[in-house]
Amino acid sequence: MRVVELSNHPGQMLSEIRGRRQTAEQQERSRYERATARHQARVERARRARDQARARHQWLSWLRLALAVRRERRQAPRPPAQRAPGSTTDREEILAAGLAGEELVATGLNGKLDDEWTLIRGYRNRRGEIDHVLLGPRGVVAMEVKYRNATVRCDGDDWRFDKYDNYGNLVEQGQLADGRGRSPSVQLNEPADALEDLLGSRGYRVPVQRVVLFTHPRSRIGSCRRATVHVATSPDYVLDLIGGAAPSLTAGQLSAMRHLIERDHRSRGGARKS
């Protein structure tokens, strides 16, 4: 299986967040070092004044300055909070987990599909982004990848989740949606519809299969009624889905479709990763 990476938005976000955190930490360390240098200079000035008073036998001044040295020492700047080596923020961990989930899909498909198949990653069109587009002689599959430690339920395009602790106790429930309020099926169906229209406009009347994949080891699928997409917890589901289809696309058609998808992505301002 060949892999074409058009974009890596989560990876870019993770890199930016890490860069901002590291910059903020460096700035905080620099502020602390400057404040420490100023504090040490003040302590040294106070100490010299105290010692001069003692040398001159100015005992009242010496006592006052000795107390001033003690006060100054107590006003040392507080060092910045120390993170454990390799520690990250919650947002970094979420993004890193999502990236790991996407890698599980590529790993799960690679080695089981030959070079007739291409996995296009990070395709963006006018209606959104598709994590993975699998293109091969047996059809086209669009995949939305989620890394959620939860049991997922859906009724049409309304998705909910139940999260349990290690003892099986329900600890959290809620709606499963992105920042725009779109459920995973809507997130996938909107750009997948646009992809299907694009291919059809060039004479490739190919249905785009849609699969929402939950890749966390503890992801579970609960009741799904009137689902508008396939819902699965393993890339093996995708292999079974395409395995049951008859070959319908030639190598020439697949090459033309791949280039069409890449051009459409670039026209939306997507930059292909080298």
Side-chain angles (χ1 to χ4, degrees):
M1 181 184 75
R2 292 175 292 181
V3 177
V4 175
E5 187 167 280
L6 297 181
S7 67
N8 184 4
H9 183 59
Q12 292 168 353
M13 288 178 61
L14 178 58
S15 179
E16 290 170 2
I17 289 172
R18 281 177 175 166
R20 287 196 296 269
R21 172 178 58 80
Q22 290 167 356
T23 298
E25 290 174 352
Q26 180 60 50
Q27 290 174 341
E28 186 64 25
R29 284 194 297 271
S30 296
R31 283 194 291 269
Y32 171 69
E33 290 167 1
R34 290 194 297 271
T36 298
R38 291 193 296 269
H39 171 257
Q40 289 172 346
R42 290 194 300 270
V43 171
E44 183 58 31
R45 285 195 298 271
R47 186 183 296 116
R48 284 200 301 268
R50 178 203 62 190
D51 292 345
Q52 288 172 359
R54 181 177 180 177
R56 295 168 183 167
H57 304 291
Q58 297 170 341
W59 301 116
L60 287 177
S61 295
W62 173 83
L63 179 59
R64 175 175 57 80
L65 290 168
L67 292 173
V69 169
R70 182 178 297 180
R71 282 196 305 271
E72 195 63 59
R73 283 174 174 164
R74 287 201 299 264
Q75 292 174 1
R78 180 175 298 179
Q82 294 294 316
R83 284 183 172 273
S87 64
T88 58
T89 63
D90 290 345
R91 181 60 175 158
E92 287 175 74
E93 291 179 4
I94 290 170
L95 287 169
L99 285 169
E102 292 191 15
E103 287 301 323
L104 287 173
V105 175
T107 302
L109 297 175
N110 196 26
K112 299 178 181 178
L113 297 172
D114 59 27
D115 283 346
E116 292 181 305
W117 291 87
T118 300
L119 185 69
I120 301 174
R121 304 176 65 173
Y123 162 60
R124 175 174 291 278
N125 61 33
R126 59 186 173 83
R127 301 199 65 189
E129 184 168 331
I130 301 175
D131 292 332
H132 300 294
V133 177
L134 183 63
L135 190 65
R138 296 178 183 270
V140 181
V141 183
M143 288 171 270
E144 173 72 19
V145 182
K146 299 294 184 186
Y147 194 81
R148 293 296 297 261
N149 176 11
T151 297
V152 177
R153 300 173 284 112
C154 67
D155 186 354
D157 287 325
D158 180 30
W159 290 57
R160 307 279 169 168
F161 72 89
D162 302 322
K163 186 172 182 179
Y164 297 87
D165 64 17
N166 293 333
Y167 303 98
N169 301 310
L170 181 64
V171 294
E172 186 181 357
Q173 288 182 305
Q175 185 178 41
L176 193 58
D178 67 2
R180 293 165 54 188
R182 300 178 304 166
S183 67
S185 57
V186 174
Q187 286 178 256
L188 179 58
N189 278 327
E190 288 184 349
D193 286 344
L195 172 59
E196 200 168 272
D197 290 344
L198 173 69
L199 296 175
S201 70
R202 300 299 191 275
Y204 305 109
R205 305 290 177 182
V206 183
V208 176
Q209 299 269 31
R210 296 102 189 273
V211 180
V212 175
L213 268 174
F214 290 89
T215 56
H216 192 283
R218 296 182 64 184
S219 292
R220 299 291 183 270
I221 307 301
S223 171
C224 275
R225 301 173 54 248
R226 302 178 299 133
T228 60
V229 295
H230 298 278
V231 188
T233 57
S234 170
D236 288 342
Y237 183 94
V238 177
L239 295 171
D240 292 341
L241 187 65
I242 59 179
S248 59
L249 296 168
T250 67
Q253 289 174 321
L254 291 171
S255 178
M257 290 165 64
R258 192 194 79 195
H259 290 303
L260 177 62
I261 290 170
E262 291 180 9
R263 285 198 303 272
D264 184 57
H265 174 82
R266 288 195 293 270
S267 73
R268 309 294 165 187
R272 180 165 179 180
K273 183 177 178 179
S274 58

